[in-house]
Amino acid sequence: MTDCGCEKARRDLEEYLRNEVCKTEHADITEHLSHCPACRDEALVATTLTEVVARACKETAPEELRDQVLARLRAVQAAH
Protein backbone atom coordinates (compact mmCIF):
# COMPACT_ATOMS: atom_id res chain seq x y z
CA MET A 1 0.00 0.00 0.00
CA THR A 2 1.39 3.38 -0.97
CA ASP A 3 0.89 6.65 0.85
CA CYS A 4 -1.10 9.27 -1.06
CA GLY A 5 1.26 11.98 0.22
CA CYS A 6 -0.39 12.55 3.62
CA GLU A 7 2.61 11.27 5.57
CA LYS A 8 5.03 13.66 3.86
CA ALA A 9 2.61 16.58 3.92
CA ARG A 10 1.96 16.18 7.64
CA ARG A 11 5.63 15.59 8.44
CA ASP A 12 6.67 18.79 6.64
CA LEU A 13 3.59 20.88 7.44
CA GLU A 14 5.22 23.23 9.96
CA GLU A 15 8.14 23.99 7.65
CA TYR A 16 5.73 24.38 4.74
CA LEU A 17 3.61 26.91 6.64
CA ARG A 18 6.76 28.89 7.54
CA ASN A 19 7.95 28.73 3.90
CA GLU A 20 11.01 26.73 4.94
CA VAL A 21 10.79 23.99 2.31
CA CYS A 22 12.30 24.10 -1.16
CA LYS A 23 10.12 25.23 -4.06
CA THR A 24 9.62 21.67 -5.32
CA GLU A 25 8.47 20.40 -1.93
CA HIS A 26 6.29 23.50 -1.49
CA ALA A 27 4.59 22.81 -4.83
CA ASP A 28 4.12 19.13 -3.95
CA ILE A 29 2.55 19.92 -0.58
CA THR A 30 0.36 22.68 -2.06
CA GLU A 31 -0.86 20.20 -4.66
CA HIS A 32 -1.54 17.58 -1.99
CA LEU A 33 -3.46 20.04 0.19
CA SER A 34 -5.61 21.03 -2.77
CA HIS A 35 -6.81 17.41 -3.09
CA CYS A 36 -6.79 16.16 0.51
CA PRO A 37 -9.43 17.63 2.85
CA ALA A 38 -7.95 15.96 5.95
CA CYS A 39 -4.49 17.46 5.44
CA ARG A 40 -6.00 20.79 4.37
CA ASP A 41 -7.98 20.86 7.64
CA GLU A 42 -4.82 20.09 9.60
CA ALA A 43 -3.02 22.94 7.82
CA LEU A 44 -5.92 25.28 8.61
CA VAL A 45 -5.82 24.35 12.30
CA ALA A 46 -2.04 24.91 12.41
CA THR A 47 -2.35 28.26 10.61
CA THR A 48 -5.18 29.42 12.85
CA LEU A 49 -3.31 28.38 15.99
CA THR A 50 -0.17 30.20 14.84
CA GLU A 51 -2.17 33.38 14.12
CA VAL A 52 -3.93 33.26 17.51
CA VAL A 53 -0.65 32.80 19.37
CA ALA A 54 0.97 35.62 17.38
CA ARG A 55 -1.93 37.96 18.24
CA ALA A 56 -1.78 36.98 21.90
CA CYS A 57 1.95 37.74 22.03
CA LYS A 58 1.27 41.27 20.78
CA GLU A 59 -1.28 41.96 23.52
CA THR A 60 -0.18 44.05 26.46
CA ALA A 61 -1.59 44.39 29.94
CA PRO A 62 -3.63 47.51 30.68
CA GLU A 63 -1.44 50.28 32.07
CA GLU A 64 -3.32 50.26 35.39
CA LEU A 65 -2.60 46.57 35.89
CA ARG A 66 1.03 47.07 34.95
CA ASP A 67 1.34 49.87 37.52
CA GLN A 68 -0.26 47.71 40.21
CA VAL A 69 2.11 44.81 39.52
CA LEU A 70 5.16 47.08 39.56
CA ALA A 71 4.02 48.73 42.82
CA ARG A 72 3.53 45.33 44.42
CA LEU A 73 6.96 44.17 43.25
CA ARG A 74 8.56 47.31 44.69
CA ALA A 75 6.78 46.76 48.01
CA VAL A 76 7.98 43.15 48.19
CA GLN A 77 11.54 44.17 47.32
CA ALA A 78 11.51 46.96 49.93
CA ALA A 79 10.35 44.49 52.60
CA HIS A 80 13.35 42.20 52.01
Side-chain angles (χ1 to χ4, degrees):
M1 182 172 182
T2 61
D3 178 44
C4 66
C6 292
E7 185 178 321
K8 177 167 180 31
R10 289 181 178 164
R11 184 183 66 232
D12 297 335
L13 187 59
E14 287 185 40
E15 289 82 6
Y16 169 82
L17 294 173
R18 291 189 311 255
N19 293 316
E20 295 176 352
V21 294
C22 72
K23 288 182 182 181
T24 303
E25 287 182 13
H26 194 276
D28 290 347
I29 295 170
T30 299
E31 175 72 13
H32 178 77
L33 293 177
S34 72
H35 298 292
C36 181
C39 287
R40 188 171 50 244
D41 288 348
E42 191 167 329
L44 178 59
V45 168
T47 301
T48 303
L49 181 60
T50 300
E51 290 170 357
V52 168
V53 169
R55 276 196 310 269
C57 290
K58 292 179 184 176
E59 305 250 341
T60 57
E63 192 170 330
E64 182 179 315
L65 175 61
R66 182 181 174 275
D67 292 343
Q68 290 173 0
V69 169
L70 289 174
R72 180 72 179 129
L73 286 172
R74 287 187 194 106
V76 169
Q77 287 175 340
H80 289 111

